[in-house]
Amino acid sequence: MSPPVRRFVTIIVHTDGAVESPRLRLPLWLARTALGTGVLLALGLGLGVALYAPIVRTAARVPGMQREIARLSAENQQVRQLAARLARVEERYDQVRSMLGGNIVPPRSTGGGPLAVAYPLLARVPGQATRYESGPSLPTHWPLDDPGVITQGQMNDPGGSQHPGLDIAVPSGTPVRAAGGGTVSEAGDDPEYGQFVRIAHPDGYESMYGHAARLLVAPGQVVEAGQVIGLSGSTGRSSGPHLHFEIRQGGRVVDPRSLLKGEP
């Protein structure tokens, strides 16, 4: 039996002008192994480049994405600031609208009931001159300088609603004047009328001023007719800025308009 024939691969490297060319003789199996290894390395390198390229591209986009996130965060902050400013503007608008009496007239009924909404009446004629007495006097003067709107009059329903005075809508901070001269019998806070002042006048008369934002007199203080005793507001049980004006004689409710000297 003849021995196996060994095959070789000869690699000749020839340089131009050289007399001899070096030769590299490799067994066939080694050449095939080296070729396979090279192919595998090339495939691995190509696969690595294909997998690594998206990572490289993503990493390249990171700085831009960070800048975009920063820009969106800044815009979001601006939106929040604008929303806060808008909320403040709406709040101030509601305050101004309430001060101007934007909600003092209730809407007309849509239920087809027999009662119609009455139109408001001016509380006094603008620019009308007023003369006040000195010393104790009856409550015969309108307690406001500015025109107001009577939103609710007196009601004395034995089996229903009771409203002993007049509600006059005026902006918050309007000066409230004593309707007559006398002594402050009460001045404080009440759950129903908020901050209020009660003044005792001659002949058993009393005048009361409710829902004030600020009181300028104290119990026991002597006041003159026309003296500013407080500033109107919406304290106590109130749905908007207004003055509750009430007059009594001997504990009996009196319509203030029956005592006025033709002022409102």
Side-chain angles (χ1 to χ4, degrees):
M1 183 175 181
S2 59
V5 179
R6 302 183 63 182
R7 296 180 180 182
F8 295 90
V9 175
T10 301
I11 300 175
I12 301 174
V13 181
H14 178 72
T15 303
D16 292 342
V19 177
E20 296 182 357
S21 300
R23 299 184 179 187
L24 179 62
R25 190 181 183 193
L26 298 174
L28 182 59
W29 65 270
L30 182 58
R32 290 178 177 175
T33 302
L35 180 61
T37 302
V39 171
L40 291 177
L41 290 175
L43 292 175
L45 180 61
L47 182 61
V49 171
L51 295 177
Y52 186 66
I55 298 176
V56 173
R57 288 194 298 269
T58 302
R61 288 198 301 267
V62 167
M65 295 174 63
Q66 290 177 342
R67 290 192 296 269
E68 182 69 12
I69 292 174
R71 183 183 66 82
L72 293 176
S73 299
E75 292 181 354
N76 191 25
Q77 180 66 22
Q78 292 177 355
V79 170
R80 288 196 295 267
Q81 293 176 354
L82 290 175
R85 292 177 183 175
L86 179 60
R88 290 195 295 269
V89 170
E90 290 180 348
E91 181 180 358
R92 292 175 182 174
Y93 170 75
D94 291 339
Q95 292 175 352
V96 172
R97 188 169 184 268
S98 179
M99 288 174 59
L100 295 178
N103 296 322
I104 58 177
V105 180
R108 292 184 179 273
S109 175
T110 58
L115 297 178
V117 177
Y119 290 98
L121 302 175
L122 288 177
R124 69 184 294 265
V125 178
Q128 183 178 14
T130 303
R131 295 183 179 180
Y132 297 106
E133 305 85 4
S134 60
S137 60
L138 300 182
T140 58
H141 299 281
W142 197 248
L144 299 167
D145 289 337
D146 298 335
V149 178
I150 299 176
T151 58
Q152 186 173 4
Q154 290 181 312
M155 289 187 298
N156 187 18
D157 185 358
S161 301
Q162 299 286 328
H163 190 258
L166 302 178
D167 284 349
I168 310 167
V170 288
S172 293
T174 300
V176 178
R177 298 183 182 274
T183 302
V184 178
S185 57
E186 289 185 81
D189 199 4
D190 180 80
E192 180 75 16
Y193 295 108
Q195 296 194 65
F196 75 99
V197 175
R198 189 184 302 273
I199 300 176
H201 305 278
D203 298 337
Y205 280 95
E206 287 185 317
S207 61
M208 198 273 281
Y209 316 79
H211 305 299
R214 182 179 179 184
L215 303 181
L216 302 178
V217 293
Q221 181 176 343
V222 176
V223 296
E224 298 285 337
Q227 179 177 336
V228 177
I229 59 176
L231 303 178
S232 65
S234 185
T235 56
R237 187 179 176 185
S238 171
S239 59
H242 72 284
L243 170 67
H244 176 83
F245 180 42
E246 182 180 326
I247 295 179
R248 294 175 182 264
Q249 184 184 27
R252 183 176 57 87
V253 175
V254 178
D255 188 348
R257 289 171 290 193
S258 65
L259 294 174
L260 297 176
K261 297 180 177 181
E263 294 182 41

